[in-house]
Amino acid sequence: MQFLAQQIVNALQLGSIYALIALGYTLVYGVLRLINFAHGDIFMVGAFLAFFAAVLLDLPFVPTLLLSMAATALLGVLIERFAYRPLRNAPRVSAVITALGVGLFLEHFTLASVGAQPRHLPPLIETVVYRLGPVRVTTVHLVIFIVAVVLMVVLDRIVNRSLTGMAMRAVSWDKSVVPLMGVSVDRIIALTFAIGSGLAAAGGLLYATAYPVIEPYMGVLVGWKAFVAAVVGGIGVIRGAMLGAYLLGMVEILVAAYLPSTYRDFIAFGLLLILLVFRPQGILGRREVQKV
Amino acid sequence: MRRSPGLFVLAALVLAWMAGPSSAQAQEIVVGLNAELTGSIPVVGQSSRNAALMAVDEVNAQGGLLVGGARHRIRLLVEDNHDDPAAAAAVAQKLIYQDQVVAMVGPNASRDAIPAATIAESARTPMISPWSTNPQTTAGKSYVFRACFTDDFQGQVVAGFVYRDLGLRRAAVLYDVASDYNKGIAEIFRSSFTKLGGQVVAFETYTTGDRDFSSQITRIVSLNPDVLFLPNYYSEVPLQVQQARNLGYEGPIIGSDSWGSTEIVALGGAVMNDQFFTTHYAPDIATPEARAFIEGYEERYGSTPDDVAALTYDAFGMLFHAIQQAGSWEREAIRQALAQISQFTGVTGTMSFHGTGDPEKSAVVIRIQDGQFRYYGAASP
C-alpha cells in the first residue's frame, strides 16, 4: 500500500511534465490542424534557456521560469512566422515535414552551439524530503505539481473564458470567417504558438529540475510521449491532453513497478494503442464530421 | 640483343615493390581512432581523442617510429561514431577500406566496440579498444585486442569488494538492459556475489536515455538492500543516485569503471561523495610512467586525464610497440606482434597477453571524496 502510494507520487511528477508538453501539441493542433513535431525540441531549447538563465545570470527559480518561458515563446512565434506561415495553404503533409525539419534544426543547432556534453542544471529548489507517513514527497515533487496545475488552470481560463480564447476557438472552427469579425488570424495563431512554446519551456525547466541532466536530444523521446498523451486524451482538447498525460505517467510508472521495467514502454504504448482502436478520437475528443 | 620493353617494365615493378613499406624510405603510417565524440558519452570521446593526439605527437616529435632502420611519421585519422553501434561499424569500414589504416584504436563503449570488432576481424585489421570491457568484443577474434580488463574480471572484483571489504550481504542492482556493458557486468556481479554467499534482492532494469528511475528505485527501497550497485555510464548515474537518496535509500552506492569520468562529479555534485567504484588506474598513486603522462596531459589540456585517456594512450603505446617489434606495419605483422606482447608497462599498469586479445592486469577501487577521485585500494576477484 505504501509502495503504491509512493508510485502514485512518482507518477504525478512524470504526468505533470508530460501534461505541459502535451498542451502545446493540442493547442497548435486545435487551432491550426498542424501536428508540430518540433515541439519536443522546443521543450529541449526551453530547458537550455533555463539552464543559461540559472547559470549565467544566477537567477532563482521563478525568474528563471518566466525568462525561459518568455524567450521560448518568442522562439515559437519565430518558428511559426518563418517555417509554418508560408506553408499555411500548402498541403498538410508539407507542414508536417517542415515541422520535422525544424525539430532536427533545433537539435543540431543546440548540438553545434553548446556541444554534446550533458549539462547539469544547478538545484534551483532546495530539496527537502517530507515524510507523509511512509510516503516520501520532496519539494521538487510539490513544485512541479503546483507549477503544472497553476499553468494548466491559467491556460484553461484563457482558452475558455477570455476574448482571446474565444478568438482561438473561432479560428479553430473556421479560419476563413474569423477575419470578417475583425480578428487577425495571424495574431491569434502567433499567440497560440507563443503560449504552447512557453508551456513547453516550463515543462523543460521542471523536467530539468526533476532530472537535472540536460542534453540536445532530450526532447525527442519526451516529445513523442507527450504527443501520444495528447492523442490519447483527444488531440485538440485541452483537458484531454492533461488527462492523457497523467494517464501515460501513471501507466508507465505502474508497469515498471509491477513488471520488469523492460516491458514499460511496450505495455504503456500497447495499452494506449488499444484504447485508440476503441476510441480513435481520444478519451475526451469529439468525432469530427467530414463535410463532403 | 634487343631490349624488351616488357622486361624493363617488369624490372621497374620489382624495384618498386622492393622499395615498398620495409625499405629505408620514410613513409607515413596511417592509424585510425574510432571515438564517441558526440552522442550520449561525448566526454569519453574527447578524452580518447586528446590522449590519441598526445601519443601520436610524442612519436612524431621524435621523427616517427623506427621501423626498418628509418623513422616513419604517424598520421592519425579521428572519426566520430556518435556512440551509435551502426555508425561505429560504418566508421570502422571507412577507416579500414577507404583510408587504409594499418590498425584502428577504439571504439570505447562496448556497444560500439562489438560491431566495430566484427568488421575489423573480417577485414583482418588489428583493432585495439581502450575501454571496452565486455567479453564479446574480443571473444573468438584474433585481430581484436583491448587495453583494459574485462567485465568478467571486473564483476568478480566488485562482488568481492562489496562482500569482503565492505562486509555487505544484500545487494540491489539497477542497470541499463539495452547496453552490452551494463547488462554484462550486472549479470556477472549477480552470479559472483551469489557464489560468495551474498544475496541479490533486486535486479532492476531501464533503457538507454531514461531519466526517470523512480518506479524501479521505489521497488528497490521497499526491499531494503544493504548496498546498491549501479554499473551505468556517468551521464545517468548522478540522476540515479539523486533519485535513490530522495526516495529514502541511505546505504552505500557502488559503481564500475563507467563512472571513471570526473564529469560524474560535475553532473552530480555533492550527492556523489563517499561512493566507491572499481576502475583501471588512480591518478593520485601513479607510477613514474603514469606521472609523466598525467603531467604532460595536464599541461596540454588543463585537466587530469580520466581512465579513457590513460587507456587510449596505452592502446597507442601497445600499437607502436608492436609495429617496432614487428619491424613492419603490415596488418598481419602488427597482429602477431600484439598477440606476443609479454610485458608492456603502460600508464594503467603492466599488461601481458596470453594468446587472447584480453590483457592480464589489475583493478583499483576509487572513493569519491570532496569531488575528487581518491585511491582506496587495489582489488582482486
Side-chain angles (χ1 to χ4, degrees), chain A residues 69-232:
Chain A
M69 282 178 76
T72 311
L74 184 67
L75 173 73
V77 172
L78 290 175
I79 289 173
E80 192 277 324
R81 176 67 190 81
F82 293 106
Y84 301 148
R85 193 179 296 176
L87 293 172
R88 203 175 286 160
N89 297 316
R92 206 176 287 174
V93 68
S94 315
V96 170
I97 292 166
T98 308
L100 289 169
V102 170
L104 286 171
F105 170 81
L106 292 176
E107 274 165 35
H108 292 98
F109 179 79
T110 313
L111 185 68
S113 51
V114 304
Q117 207 166 306
R119 301 301 178 98
H120 175 248
L121 183 81
L124 298 174
I125 303 164
E126 199 192 336
T127 309
V128 181
V129 182
Y130 301 105
R131 289 185 183 76
L132 300 177
V135 179
R136 302 169 73 96
V137 180
T138 65
T139 36
V140 174
H141 282 130
L142 293 175
V143 168
I144 288 175
F145 189 64
I146 292 168
V147 171
V149 168
V150 166
L151 288 174
M152 287 188 277
V153 169
V154 169
L155 178 72
D156 200 62
R157 279 289 150 100
I158 292 178
V159 172
N160 291 318
R161 296 270 188 281
S162 75
L163 265 180
T164 316
M166 193 191 282
M168 283 165 85
R169 282 177 287 142
V171 172
S172 151
W173 190 255
D174 192 335
K175 274 202 288 290
S176 54
V177 186
V178 172
L180 303 178
M181 318 288 178
V183 175
S184 160
V185 173
D186 283 348
R187 258 190 48 207
I188 293 299
I189 289 175
L191 193 68
T192 307
F193 269 86
I195 295 174
S197 305
L199 290 174
L205 174 57
L206 295 183
Y207 188 84
T209 306
Y211 318 110
V213 171
I214 60 174
E215 41 92 20
Y217 296 109
M218 65 187 271
V220 180
L221 193 61
V222 181
W224 281 108
K225 288 186 172 172
F227 169 63
V228 170
V231 172
V232 165

Side-chain angles (χ1 to χ4, degrees), chain B residues 248-291:
Chain B
Y249 176 73
E250 279 150 17
I253 299 175
I254 310 292
S256 51
D257 68 306
S258 52
W259 285 31
S261 165
T262 45
E263 213 31 43
I264 204 166
V265 179
L267 293 174
V271 80
M272 295 309 300
N273 276 341
D274 290 325
Q275 317 305 348
F276 297 97
F277 66 95
T278 54
T279 191
H280 309 273
Y281 94 127
D284 56 339
I285 56 139
T287 55
E289 288 85 6
R291 264 288 113 225

